[in-house]
Amino acid sequence: VTFGIVSAKGRRDVGLALYEDFLQVDCAINPGNSGGLLANMKGEIVGINTGYYSEGNSFTGVGLSIPINQAREIAGTLVKEGKVRHGSLEIEVQDVDGVTVTDSDNQAFEPGDLLLEIKGKPIATVLDYYAVIGKVAPGSSVLVKTNRRGKESEFTLKVGEQQPPDFGT
């Protein structure tokens, strides 16, 4: 169990995972002790230690933990379904003058389209896109706002399922 001061919530810019929503803490989370519990001063579990971010290979950085509510949600999904499923609009995006569609298997999008909002939430970065769409249940529908060649439009789309990467078996 690790005690630390939470200095930030919602850290999504560290590059440890595709879906990031970490607590930033001041305690060291060294190799081998990820997965341990993060407790507050009352002894309540507030997170699951995940990793450590630093510039270079030094131990002068910040610890990162998954918030306990998110961990409970993931655990519940694993028990119920046997896996965690993330939503997908079946597009590839990059941060180029906004969140730009670079490739699409979805007929609603063309390369060059800018994503503006999903479910009423602004999409300013690729990390925003994954944070919003990744939490949408595959098979449900979402309202999407885009800009194509200077013209804004809104439409409702059925959400697909993010496929795990193929690492070659």
Side-chain angles (χ1 to χ4, degrees), residues 2 6 8 10-11 16 21-25 27 29 36-39 46-52 62-68 70:
T2 304
V6 174
R11 285 295 307 266
L16 291 180
D21 187 15
F22 294 114
L23 298 174
Q24 176 179 302
V25 296
C27 53
I29 301 173
L37 303 176
L38 177 69
V46 297
I48 306 295
N49 295 330
T50 304
Y52 198 78
V62 295
L64 300 161
S65 297
I66 296 172
I68 197 63
Q70 182 180 354

Side-chain angles (χ1 to χ4, degrees), residues 25-86:
V25 296
D26 70 341
C27 53
I29 301 173
N30 299 313
N33 73 347
S34 60
L37 303 176
L38 177 69
N40 66 15
M41 294 303 289
K42 297 178 185 177
E44 300 165 325
I45 305 306
V46 297
I48 306 295
N49 295 330
T50 304
Y52 198 78
Y53 175 81
S54 69
E55 297 292 327
N57 289 327
S58 68
F59 287 99
T60 56
V62 295
L64 300 161
S65 297
I66 296 172
I68 197 63
N69 291 341
Q70 182 180 354
R72 283 187 181 120
E73 182 180 317
I74 291 167
T77 301
L78 286 171
V79 168
K80 182 178 177 183
E81 299 183 29
K83 67 178 183 174
V84 176
R85 299 170 63 213
H86 296 285

Side-chain angles (χ1 to χ4, degrees), residues 103-163:
D103 194 15
S104 176
D105 289 334
N106 188 322
Q107 294 179 355
F109 296 98
E110 292 179 4
D113 288 352
L114 295 175
L115 290 179
L116 304 176
E117 292 180 3
I118 298 174
K119 290 181 60 176
K121 296 177 182 165
I123 306 298
T125 68
V126 169
L127 294 173
D128 291 339
Y129 166 72
Y130 285 115
V132 173
I133 200 64
K135 292 180 181 176
V136 177
S140 60
S141 296
V142 293
L143 182 65
V144 177
K145 185 175 183 180
T146 63
N147 182 317
R148 178 178 293 164
R149 295 185 289 279
K151 183 179 178 188
E152 289 187 9
S153 59
E154 288 186 344
F155 43 91
T156 301
L157 291 174
K158 186 174 180 179
V159 176
E161 184 172 350
Q162 178 73 36
Q163 298 301 310

